[in-house]
Amino acid sequence: MLTGKQVAKYFLSLDSKRELFTKKRVRNENCEFYEGNARLNKLLHIAQNVYIAKTGNQLFSSPLFAYKNGAVVRSVVNNYSRLLNENDSVEIPEDTRIFLNKIYKSCYNADINELIALSHEDPEWGAKPPINNKSQQMNPMLHVEEYKEQYADFIKVLDGMDA
């Protein structure tokens, strides 16, 4: 199984010109953060949930944590600046690369507020809202059946896309 960091590196490799994954600072919910960092973590969250809905298995082993602006992988959110500068390639199986390419393409034009809203639609995020600015570890495998229903149309779109 992959790690969240490996999937993040793969997504970063798809944006070599850094058009999406930037260091532009934005403010949302009284939090200031890099828009690209939030975007990367929302793609990880969406990819994890859609993969679970599609296969019944997790895409990556790294836990997601409920933060105010949606779910994040701590090893990614805390190392974003360093990850932007790493150029080492990541070994990803072909079928997984195709899946990740489709997730990336489907979210390419979404603005950060749309991605945050998608993250907030996760029933597991809703069950684990941050308390006193501390985050809580999420367990998406508790919601496999809900994800199958929630992402059914999205999966149909992905299945119809070219990689």
Side-chain angles (χ1 to χ4, degrees), residues 16-116:
S16 60
K17 294 182 181 178
R18 296 295 179 251
E19 294 170 345
L20 294 181
F21 304 119
T22 68
K23 284 192 166 185
K24 176 184 172 192
R25 296 193 68 79
V26 295
R27 191 164 192 74
N28 187 317
E29 298 280 333
N30 293 321
C31 296
E32 191 170 320
F33 51 87
Y34 291 132
E35 181 177 348
N37 195 349
R39 178 179 298 280
L40 181 58
N41 276 279
K42 298 321 140 226
L43 285 180
L44 291 171
H45 185 200
I46 292 164
Q48 179 77 301
N49 287 0
V50 172
Y51 194 84
I52 289 169
K54 188 173 173 71
T55 69
N57 298 306
Q58 293 186 81
L59 171 64
F60 55 84
S61 59
S62 306
L64 288 159
F65 290 85
Y67 277 51
K68 220 176 200 181
N69 285 312
V72 302
V73 174
R74 281 191 179 152
S75 61
V76 173
V77 78
N78 292 335
N79 295 295
Y80 178 70
S81 293
R82 190 172 70 224
L83 288 171
L84 284 176
N85 296 319
E86 290 181 6
N87 291 322
D88 52 327
S89 63
V90 159
E91 194 70 31
I92 306 267
E94 176 70 17
D95 60 330
T96 305
R97 277 191 289 125
I98 290 169
F99 172 79
L100 294 174
N101 289 346
K102 291 178 179 184
I103 292 289
Y104 179 82
K105 285 180 183 179
S106 68
C107 295
Y108 187 87
N109 290 317
D111 73 28
I112 192 59
N113 293 318
E114 292 170 321
L115 294 174
I116 289 171

Side-chain angles (χ1 to χ4, degrees), residues 121-144:
E121 290 176 4
D122 181 352
E124 181 63 2
W125 181 87
K128 306 276 189 203
I131 300 171
N132 300 326
N133 294 326
K134 293 182 181 176
S135 61
Q136 296 187 49
Q137 185 169 335
M138 298 167 57
N139 183 355
M141 295 307 291
L142 295 175
H143 303 278
V144 175

